[in-house]
Amino acid sequence: MIGIGFDVHKLVEKRPLVLAGVTIPSEKGALAHSDGDVILHALCDALLGAMGVGDIGDHFPDTDPQWKGASSSVFVHHVTLLMQERRLFIVNIDCTLVLQEPKIAAYKHEMKSAIAALCSIPESRVNIKATTNEHLGYVGRNEGVHAFVVCELQKL
Ligand code: MG
């Protein structure tokens, strides 16, 4: 089964920039109810999509106080439990981050390791790609960040 996830968050000053569970030095971070980790949010949606069980908003509504300020790794953990119940394992995860600033090349390996650890899979099953938005639109003006994630699941 294949799943796709997309997420966007607004970038504002005086907020941490958390991507794939890694806090990256940055003048701006995501404005969000949770930690605003676009990669982990898109990952949850990709995994939920592959399972055919709705989206992150269905499972972790931002109106529910229990998720206020929650680390997105908590969401990923819940989603992996749903996969275990269905005896599904991750074949691979492929992430694309679209961010104008800062450059995240130096953090890609740490992000990949963090996703592999959260999902209990080898790092070889996770890929992180990053691109700028060529200074175009709101991502290009560093007012927002996008992430796309595709995954494949298989039955054990
Ligand atoms: Mg989000």
Side-chain angles (χ1 to χ4, degrees), residues 19-66:
L19 296 169
V22 178
T23 302
I24 292 171
S26 172
E27 288 182 5
K28 289 181 163 185
L31 181 66
H33 190 68
S34 64
D35 60 8
D37 188 328
V38 281
I39 295 183
L40 294 190
H41 292 181
L43 172 61
C44 286
D45 263 356
L47 295 170
L48 292 168
M51 286 187 279
V53 292
D55 66 26
I56 193 168
D58 297 330
H59 292 264
F60 313 105
D62 61 10
T63 49
D64 186 337
Q66 76 167 302

Side-chain angles (χ1 to χ4, degrees), residues 1-7 41-52 54-56 94 147-152:
M1 296 94 104
I2 308 287
I4 183 171
F6 168 77
D7 196 30
H41 292 181
L43 172 61
C44 286
D45 263 356
L47 295 170
L48 292 168
M51 286 187 279
D55 66 26
I56 193 168
D94 186 22
F148 302 85
V149 175
V150 173
C151 68
E152 183 183 358

Side-chain angles (χ1 to χ4, degrees), residues 3 8 11 17 38 48 58 70 77 106 112 121 128 132 134 141:
V8 55
L11 292 174
L17 181 64
V38 281
L48 292 168
D58 297 330
H77 179 67
K112 180 174 168 153
I121 55 174
I128 305 271
T132 71
E134 297 289 345
R141 291 189 299 271

